[in-house]
Amino acid sequence: MVHYKELGLVNSREIFKKAVKGGYAIPAFNFNNLEQMQAIIMACVETKSPVILQVSKGARKYANQTLLQYLAKGAVEFSKELGYPIPIVLHLDHGDTFETCKSCIETGFSSVMIDGSHLSFEDNIKETKRVVDFAHEFDVTVEGELGVLAGIEDEISHEHSNYTQPQEVEEFVKRTGVDSLAISIGTSHGAFKFKVKPGEVAPPLRFDILEEVERRIPGFPIVLHGASSVPQEIVDEINKYGGKMENTCGVSEEQLRRAASSAVCKINIDSDGRLAVTAAVRKVLYEKPGEFDPRNYLGPARDALKVLYKHKIEKVLGSLNRA
Ligand code: G3H
Ligand code: 13P
Ligand code: ZN
């Protein structure tokens, strides 16, 4: 057993409390490799923002559990070395079972998500409570989910979203003891969030649901998944340098700013980072076909990621200077 405190990490309790009170959201950036982690830490140190380093089941498989533990410890030391230690949470994204959550808790994660959103209400409560009871023994915080996002969640593809039903949230929170709740208000995972024709705008998020949730559980930390904006200029760059991405669509920054100023205190961003990396790598390889040193394309990818993350923190989430 390696406890997260030994790695210098924090759980999400205090930073969420401050974020809800302060009307901003903490960035939860997914990472799978060294360059992504470096970019996240550099961006967050430079903006003095707390951060949630988020690891999916796929990322765990890709990066290796042991290496992840050391990368997270390294992230803490790296932030100190950069001159401004920031609060860092290591979070399991879309934990699928009690066993996955337990294994993460035992190897240094300070926060886990148990995603029972595809289960019945009762089974979701049962599974979430089981994780909460175990996690809290180690002071690890837990995120649950009610409602299903359109797109891909946990390798299950959903054609349509199933919005969170506000009348369920009080009972869910009370009976499970979760520390935060992911809700479905119209966001979705990936780079193709809404089926819109060129020139059409995406449907607005259901702020009425968010407001009703807030009314029923005032001050409770709310999480927004599927919150990439899929910037058109990055998609254009990908296509300019040989890519083929059509009909992409994300959530507007304006709507995310509005959400961040509410009880939404964690905003998950993965796809935008993937796009930024792809655009940067494509550009280098297109312009310099003879390039074969990975540092010369992964380095620019890391730089592009850092720019993207700083933009999110400063202009969208509002977590600047909150560390
Ligand atoms: O919500 C899903 C995240 O974007 C992680 O995706 O499972 O492909 O690592 P992944
Ligand atoms: P995006 O695909 O919109 O970046 O969402 C990521 C996410 O919700 C990770 O859990
Ligand atoms: Zn998600």
Side-chain angles (χ1 to χ4, degrees):
M1 166 92 197
V2 177
H3 193 264
Y4 67 85
K5 286 181 187 160
E6 293 168 43
L7 307 177
L9 300 163
V10 298
N11 69 22
S12 62
R13 197 166 292 121
E14 282 308 307
I15 59 171
F16 280 178
K17 212 186 278 175
K18 287 187 190 163
V20 173
K21 221 168 149 203
Y24 60 92
I26 312 285
F29 296 134
N30 288 67
F31 87 106
N32 296 264
N33 66 21
L34 177 72
E35 283 79 6
Q36 287 170 318
M37 190 275 272
Q38 288 173 314
I40 295 170
I41 299 301
M42 288 191 286
C44 293
V45 166
E46 286 176 27
T47 54
K48 298 194 168 95
S49 169
V51 70
I52 298 171
L53 287 174
Q54 193 154 264
V55 174
S56 70
K57 190 177 150 201
R60 274 181 91 217
K61 202 167 149 200
Y62 178 81
N64 177 278
Q65 182 68 25
T66 309
L67 283 177
L68 271 176
Q69 196 183 102
Y70 286 96
L71 273 174
K73 189 170 193 287
V76 173
E77 298 306 318
F78 186 41
S79 84
K80 287 182 196 162
E81 201 178 300
L82 292 175
Y84 197 87
I86 50 170
I88 301 176
V89 174
L90 180 63
H91 175 77
L92 168 68
D93 191 22
H94 294 285
D96 55 345
T97 60
F98 170 81
E99 283 70 28
T100 308
C101 294
K102 180 171 179 282
S103 154
C104 286
I105 291 164
E106 289 173 342
T107 51
F109 281 63
S110 58
S111 174
V112 294
M113 174 187 192
I114 173 72
D115 182 354
S117 58
H118 54 284
L119 302 172
S120 69
F121 185 62
E122 282 301 322
D123 286 347
N124 190 357
I125 288 181
K126 213 194 280 169
E127 190 70 352
T128 305
K129 182 170 170 16
R130 193 172 168 218
V131 172
V132 169
D133 288 347
F134 182 80
H136 284 181
E137 274 182 49
F138 303 95
D139 203 21
V140 167
T141 39
V142 181
E143 175 184 326
E145 179 164 339
L146 266 181
V148 180
L149 273 67
I152 297 185
E153 277 214 52
D154 226 349
E155 291 155 17
I156 299 164
S157 182
H158 299 276
E159 258 295 294
H160 304 289
S161 63
N162 180 354
Y163 296 121
T164 302
Q165 297 182 32
Q167 65 274 21
E168 290 184 346
V169 298
E170 287 151 287
E171 188 180 346
F172 186 82
V173 163
K174 210 162 156 189
R175 285 178 59 196
T176 57
V178 273
D179 302 283
S180 61
L181 182 69
I183 61 169
S184 170
I185 57 166
T187 60
S188 78
H189 290 102
F192 304 92
K193 298 192 188 301
F194 311 104
K195 284 195 176 79
V196 287
K197 297 191 185 85
E200 278 180 8
V201 288
L205 299 184
R206 292 287 305 271
F207 282 99
D208 56 322
I209 297 178
L210 175 59
E211 280 159 18
E212 184 57 18
V213 167
E214 282 188 86
R215 199 184 65 73
R216 286 170 181 267
I217 44 172
F220 193 80
I222 302 297
V223 177
L224 219 54
H225 281 249
S228 278
S229 293
V230 192
Q232 192 55 47
E233 63 276 16
I234 301 184
V235 175
D236 289 345
E237 189 93 339
I238 289 174
N239 291 336
K240 181 174 164 191
Y241 295 111
K244 196 171 189 318
M245 295 193 71
E246 287 161 6
N247 304 321
T248 54
C249 192
V251 182
S252 78
E253 291 189 347
E254 191 198 339
Q255 293 197 69
L256 293 171
R257 269 192 289 273
R258 182 171 163 195
S261 66
S262 72
V264 169
C265 64
K266 172 176 180 269
I267 289 192
N268 288 7
I269 297 169
D270 187 3
S271 298
D272 283 354
R274 296 177 180 195
L275 293 168
V277 167
T278 303
V281 171
R282 279 197 175 280
K283 184 171 192 290
V284 173
L285 296 181
Y286 183 90
E287 288 177 345
K288 299 177 188 158
E291 183 57 66
F292 71 99
D293 182 342
R295 291 171 298 188
N296 293 337
Y297 49 86
L298 295 182
R302 185 175 60 196
D303 296 343
L305 267 182
K306 190 175 104 173
V307 169
L308 174 88
Y309 293 144
K310 286 179 81 169
H311 170 80
K312 299 282 181 192
I313 290 165
E314 290 168 357
K315 307 280 189 237
V316 186
L317 310 187
S319 62
L320 177 78
N321 290 328
R322 303 292 190 156

